[in-house]
Amino acid sequence: MFGCCKVQPGLEAEEPGATRPDSKLKNMAKVITVFGATGTQGGGVANALLQDPDFKVRAVTRNASSAKAKALQERGAELVEASYDDPGSLERAMQGAYGTFVVTQINIEHADFDQVEIRHGKAAADAAKAAGVQHVVFSSQDAVKKTMGFPCLEFDSKAEIEAYMRSIELPVTFVKFPAYYDNYLAGLLITKMEDGTYEIGYPLEGAAMDGISTVDAGFAIMTIFKNWAQWIRRTVGFSAGKLTAQQHADIFSKHLAPKVFKPTEMTSDAFSQLPFPGAQHLGDMFKYYRVGNPDRSEELTRQLYPGTRGLDQWMAENKETLLNALS
């Protein structure tokens, strides 16, 4: 995502609507169906689960012959092809699974991408319920329109899916991602200027923003799966630290010297006017990052995964990849 959180009171395992995991599963590896397993969020979750013998990964992909899917299979993942547009395939992908990680995909170039995403999320929720999945972890976001008075369709759509999951009493934990450090590995939000310097493109107007590596978030989610009773029906907002765009630029300049980085002077409103599909929606998201104070928690994230890296450490460990991305 270009995206403690207040932890909502969790239900104890004995409360109505919460089914305790079958005791027969205690001594065998639990199957976790991971949607988006070849993507950024799902990839982090699959990576973490594949390193723990308590879990078996069932990786959902639209193309089981892709290089990323084959790489997961070589590490021990079971591959299954499914599509959010085929509800039957979703239920088959979850059949027999103990848990599932659900992340809904968007194509922001489509005018009605938010409604498509809501339809997909509800289909995944219905499939999980029909398959009897005992622990759903859903990648949600804040209800911006409801709380702030201006729309942020990419967030509001996920909030609507969350509300639906609550309404059908799914055994679910909601996680909320901040901006990804991983975007930098693809050269996103970094522009080389005419004077040879590099601009960090987050239009935050001096405000600080939470961030995290999706690899580290994956390990935090693994902890959530390992501790069903503690995390069921709670919400966790991830963060490895809250930094301004100037601080991002300073950390880049430190590790990638003699290259020099600076923050953009663009406002979120100006970003919304850029001539590419989805600019308005991304601008709304940056505006929310700036004025909405999303509820994310570095403390809780490190409780879930003590190895969570701040941007400085993450950048030190990814220096060569970052340099290649900028070349």
Side-chain angles (χ1 to χ4, degrees):
M1 181 74 54
F2 275 132
C4 156
C5 138
K6 184 186 295 181
V7 178
Q8 299 180 356
L11 295 180
E12 297 300 325
E14 292 79 7
E15 291 198 15
T19 304
R20 183 179 293 278
D22 193 329
S23 60
K24 292 184 293 185
L25 293 173
K26 287 183 179 178
N27 297 318
M28 59 187 295
K30 297 180 176 69
V31 175
I32 307 293
T33 298
V34 180
F35 286 84
T38 58
T40 307
Q41 287 190 27
V45 175
N47 171 71
L49 295 173
L50 284 168
Q51 298 183 50
D52 192 303
D54 287 345
F55 298 106
K56 290 183 179 179
V57 172
R58 183 179 294 164
V60 179
T61 177
R62 287 173 294 180
N63 181 9
S65 63
S66 71
K68 288 184 177 180
K70 289 297 185 182
L72 287 172
Q73 187 176 46
E74 289 173 2
R75 294 182 60 193
E78 171 193 357
L79 299 183
V80 57
E81 291 189 343
S83 168
Y84 284 117
D85 291 314
D86 179 1
S89 73
L90 301 180
E91 187 174 340
R92 289 191 296 273
M94 297 187 208
Q95 200 65 48
Y98 159 77
T100 183
F101 174 74
V102 177
V103 54
T104 47
Q105 309 294 325
I106 66 167
N107 185 343
I108 207 166
E109 295 185 7
H110 288 210
D112 62 344
F113 75 89
D114 57 318
Q115 296 305 309
V116 172
E117 182 176 18
I118 291 167
R119 185 175 71 246
H120 288 173
K122 289 181 175 180
D126 291 340
K129 192 172 183 69
V133 173
Q134 298 181 64
H135 192 178
V136 178
V137 176
F138 174 61
S139 180
S140 186
Q141 279 297 349
D142 301 337
V144 177
K145 175 68 173 179
K146 180 178 179 180
T147 59
M148 301 298 298
F150 62 86
C152 179
L153 296 186
E154 187 175 347
F155 279 23
D156 292 332
S157 55
K158 293 175 177 62
E160 187 166 334
I161 296 167
E162 174 179 331
Y164 180 75
M165 288 182 168
R166 291 184 187 277
S167 74
I168 64 172
E169 298 185 338
L170 272 187
V172 58
T173 303
F174 300 104
V175 295
K176 297 182 179 181
F177 280 73
Y180 309 153
Y181 298 158
D182 313 70
N183 286 328
Y184 287 136
L185 297 177
L188 299 178
L189 294 165
I190 301 177
T191 303
K192 188 171 185 179
M193 310 303 287
E194 291 184 0
D195 63 2
T197 63
Y198 292 82
E199 184 179 83
I200 302 294
Y202 284 112
L204 301 174
E205 302 172 52
M209 175 186 70
D210 295 289
I212 200 168
S213 161
T214 55
V215 172
D216 295 345
F219 284 103
I221 290 170
M222 181 180 72
T223 299
I224 290 170
F225 275 122
K226 287 172 103 41
N227 296 277
W228 179 91
Q230 183 178 355
W231 298 104
I232 196 70
R233 292 191 174 86
R234 292 174 69 175
T235 300
V236 181
F238 293 137
S239 178
K242 196 168 185 175
L243 301 172
T244 65
Q246 180 65 64
Q247 288 172 307
H248 278 242
D250 291 344
I251 291 171
F252 264 87
S253 295
K254 168 186 170 183
H255 289 286
L256 303 185
K259 298 182 186 296
V260 175
F261 296 79
K262 60 186 179 183
T264 183
E265 296 181 358
M266 182 176 291
T267 66
S268 58
D269 287 342
F271 189 98
S272 294
Q273 302 303 314
L274 292 176
F276 68 86
Q280 177 183 343
H281 306 306
L282 291 175
D284 291 338
M285 181 181 65
F286 291 129
K287 180 179 178 181
Y288 177 62
Y289 282 154
R290 179 171 59 86
V291 303
N293 192 29
D295 199 0
R296 310 289 184 258
S297 173
E298 182 178 355
E299 179 182 359
L300 184 57
T301 303
R302 294 185 190 281
Q303 176 187 328
L304 286 162
Y305 180 50
T308 298
R309 297 161 294 173
L311 181 61
D312 187 69
Q313 181 184 352
W314 178 86
M315 192 166 294
E317 295 175 7
N318 288 276
K319 177 178 178 179
E320 294 306 317
T321 305
L322 288 163
L323 286 171
N324 289 336
L326 295 176
S327 62

